[in-house]
């Protein structure tokens, strides 16, 4: 079972207001019919259920998407400090749940992308599992890190400008390595993965070189600051394949404005609605995005599967109105308040009215 995602990230100066826009389509043909939960955790809850020796006791509020119900970790999410983390690829190992746990732990304990990379490196070094391979993308409003992990070894490269389509079917880090496990080259030579000759290719050392296209999907950013939230919606919808597309997410990470995170929570991005979440004073998200204890299906997923073709135009209009209203509000309000507490809940419940 794989928990990969098709990831696109756009950095300043392509985006307005010094924002980073990061989008992800969950992709797995075998799991298309499986519901993905979206859950919010208060700071006191975000690490609950795991016994870990972390170097600090701080924990943060997080919003987390899960690739299937009733597991602890997640495949992507964000925290109240504008840090987002997501899986881009995992192998099919039965032990690859560790990647999901690392996503949640990192979000719950790190307030910058640089700190998140350090945390991932620590967790891989201490808890990495032999033969498990995966890649993560870590974003904040200033920097983006790609980190690839294999067993207890890892390597990372950063982006601080431009726009990037991350490889989806292998370890994303190849020959550009800016940070890594301690004594990485010596460790690889000792394992017989690298002979010490020529350029080191981390992915190739583990026979996991990506072969998917890194071309952009749809209209490319043009460098004038015009790439925005709805641009990423279209990028993800252009990239999505109905046979493999699960839920989609967009994280708009801002240094100067309020960051906003958008989730569909339903499969097939082209026929799904993005709903917004902000770290308001006391945010509430709809119970429709959580599976009951004795059920493997969220009610949102179930109702969406029963949608009628005639509802699609109404759903598009709902999404457009939501984007316009939220964007206008955020442009006028530099800080969150209780008015936004039930934003995602209201949007989810407005959506399902078209399915009933």
């Amino acid at each position: 079972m794989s928990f990969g995602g098709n990831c696109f990230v756009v950095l300043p100066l392509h985006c307005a207001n010094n924002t980073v826009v990061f989008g992800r389509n969950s992709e797995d043909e075998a799991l298309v019919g499986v519901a993905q939960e979206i859950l919010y955790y208060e700071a006191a809850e975000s690490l609950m259920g795991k016994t870990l020796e972390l170097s600090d006791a701080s924990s943060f509020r997080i919003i987390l998407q899960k690739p299937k119900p009733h597991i602890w970790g997640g495949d992507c999410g964000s925290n109240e400090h504008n840090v987002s983390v997501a899986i881009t690829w995992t192998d099919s190992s039965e032990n690859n749940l560790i990647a999901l746990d690392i996503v949640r732990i990192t979000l719950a304990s790190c307030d910058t992308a640089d700190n998140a990379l350090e945390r991932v490196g620590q967790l891989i070094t201490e808890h990495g599992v032999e033969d498990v391979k995966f890649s993560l993308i870590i974003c904040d409003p200033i920097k983006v890190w790609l980190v690839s992990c294999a067993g207890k070894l890892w390597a990372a490269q950063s982006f601080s400008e431009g726009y990037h389509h991350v490889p989806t079917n292998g370890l994303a880090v190849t020959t550009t390595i800016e940070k890594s496990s301690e004594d990485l080259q010596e460790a690889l030579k000792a394992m017989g993965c690298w002979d010490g000759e020529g350029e080191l290719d981390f992915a190739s050392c583990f026979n996991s070189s990506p072969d998917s296209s890194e071309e952009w999907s749809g209209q490319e950013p043009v460098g004038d600051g015009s790439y925005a939230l709805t641009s990423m919606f279209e990028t993800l919808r252009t990239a999505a394949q109905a046979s493999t597309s699960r839920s989609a997410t967009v994280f708009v990470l801002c240094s100067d404005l309020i960051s906003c995170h958008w989730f569909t929570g339903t499969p097939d991005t082209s026929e799904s609605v993005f709903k917004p979440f902000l770290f308001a004073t006391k945010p509430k998200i709809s119970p429709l995005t959580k599976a009951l204890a004795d059920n493997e299906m969220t009610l949102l997923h179930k109702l969406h599967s029963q949608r009628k073709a005639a509802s699609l135009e109404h759903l598009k209009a709902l999404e457009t109105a939501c984007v316009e209203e939220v964007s206008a509000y955020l442009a006028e309000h530099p800080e969150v308040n209780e008015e936004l507490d039930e934003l995602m809940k209201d949007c989810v419940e407005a959506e399902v009215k078209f399915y009933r």
Side-chain angles (χ1 to χ4, degrees):
M1 184 178 297
S2 175
F3 302 119
N6 198 4
C7 297
F8 301 82
V9 62
V10 184
L11 296 95
L13 301 165
H14 293 280
C15 305
N17 302 316
N18 293 318
T19 59
V20 168
V21 180
F22 166 44
R24 180 182 188 271
N25 279 332
S26 294
E27 297 281 351
D28 191 326
E29 186 172 5
L31 294 175
V32 166
V34 177
Q36 294 195 256
E37 291 184 301
I38 303 168
L39 301 177
Y40 166 75
Y41 296 94
E42 290 285 353
E45 304 170 319
S46 59
L47 288 173
M48 191 177 295
K50 285 288 177 181
T51 302
L52 294 164
E53 295 294 331
L54 298 180
S55 58
D56 59 74
S58 299
S59 59
F60 307 125
R61 299 185 295 164
I62 65 173
I63 181 81
L64 191 69
Q65 176 180 279
K66 304 191 176 194
K68 59 181 183 178
H70 312 309
I71 59 175
W72 191 83
D75 58 5
C76 69
S78 196
N79 70 20
E80 61 182 309
H81 291 284
N82 304 327
V83 176
S84 295
V85 181
I87 295 171
T88 68
W89 174 79
T90 68
D91 63 6
S92 57
S93 167
E94 293 182 0
N95 295 316
N96 63 13
L97 286 173
I98 187 174
L100 307 177
D101 291 352
I102 286 175
V103 169
R104 179 167 172 177
I105 294 164
T106 303
L107 288 172
S109 60
C110 299
D111 58 1
T112 68
D114 286 342
N115 290 344
L117 177 65
E118 292 181 11
R119 178 71 79 210
V120 170
Q122 172 199 352
L123 292 169
I124 288 298
T125 301
E126 296 177 1
H127 304 287
V129 178
E130 186 178 359
D131 296 329
V132 173
K133 296 174 284 189
F134 60 92
S135 290
L136 304 175
I137 184 169
I138 302 168
C139 307
D140 69 13
I142 299 172
K143 185 178 285 187
V144 174
W145 284 102
L146 288 182
V147 54
S148 291
C149 309
K152 292 183 179 295
L153 299 178
W154 61 275
Q157 71 177 99
S158 68
F159 302 135
S160 57
E161 60 183 10
Y163 57 95
H164 308 272
H165 179 198
V166 182
T168 59
N169 63 348
L171 293 173
V173 178
T174 55
T175 58
T176 301
I177 300 175
E178 297 173 49
K179 292 191 176 184
S180 69
S181 307
E182 187 175 356
D183 298 324
L184 175 63
Q185 293 187 2
E186 294 305 314
L188 291 171
K189 286 191 284 187
M191 294 168 60
C193 297
W194 184 52
D195 61 8
E197 300 293 329
E199 189 173 38
L200 172 61
D201 184 326
F202 186 81
S204 179
C205 286
F206 296 97
N207 299 315
S208 297
S209 297
D211 58 17
S212 59
S213 170
E214 295 180 46
E215 293 183 1
W216 197 257
S217 183
Q219 185 173 350
E220 297 185 27
V222 294
D224 61 356
S226 62
Y227 194 91
L229 169 67
T230 53
S231 308
M232 185 59 79
F233 288 176
E234 292 309 308
T235 296
L236 295 179
R237 284 171 171 147
T238 302
Q241 301 291 326
S243 61
T244 61
S245 172
R246 304 184 69 205
S247 63
T249 52
V250 177
F251 303 100
V252 182
L253 306 174
C254 306
S255 297
D256 304 321
L257 301 173
I258 301 170
S259 295
C260 190
H261 317 295
W262 298 74
F263 298 82
T264 64
T266 54
D268 193 350
T269 311
S270 63
E271 296 192 11
S272 291
V273 177
F274 284 93
K275 283 82 64 177
F277 172 87
L278 298 99
F279 285 95
T281 309
K282 293 182 179 180
K284 297 178 182 178
I285 61 175
S286 174
L288 302 181
T289 67
K290 179 179 180 179
L292 297 177
D294 59 349
N295 202 313
E296 292 294 318
M297 188 69 65
T298 66
L299 188 54
L300 175 62
H301 185 107
K302 180 179 179 180
L303 292 172
H304 178 266
S305 69
Q306 300 169 357
R307 67 193 181 281
K308 296 178 173 60
S311 67
L312 187 57
E313 289 304 314
H314 297 293
L315 294 170
K316 288 181 179 178
L318 175 67
E319 180 183 273
T320 299
C322 183
V323 169
E324 291 175 352
E325 291 175 13
V326 171
S327 298
Y329 183 94
L330 296 181
E332 297 176 1
H333 295 79
E335 297 181 357
V336 295
N337 58 46
E338 63 276 3
E339 290 183 62
L340 301 172
D341 283 353
E342 297 191 0
L343 176 62
M344 186 169 182
K345 177 177 180 291
D346 291 344
C347 291
V348 170
E349 292 172 2
E351 174 188 355
V352 299
K353 289 179 181 178
F354 292 104
Y355 301 146
R356 295 183 186 276

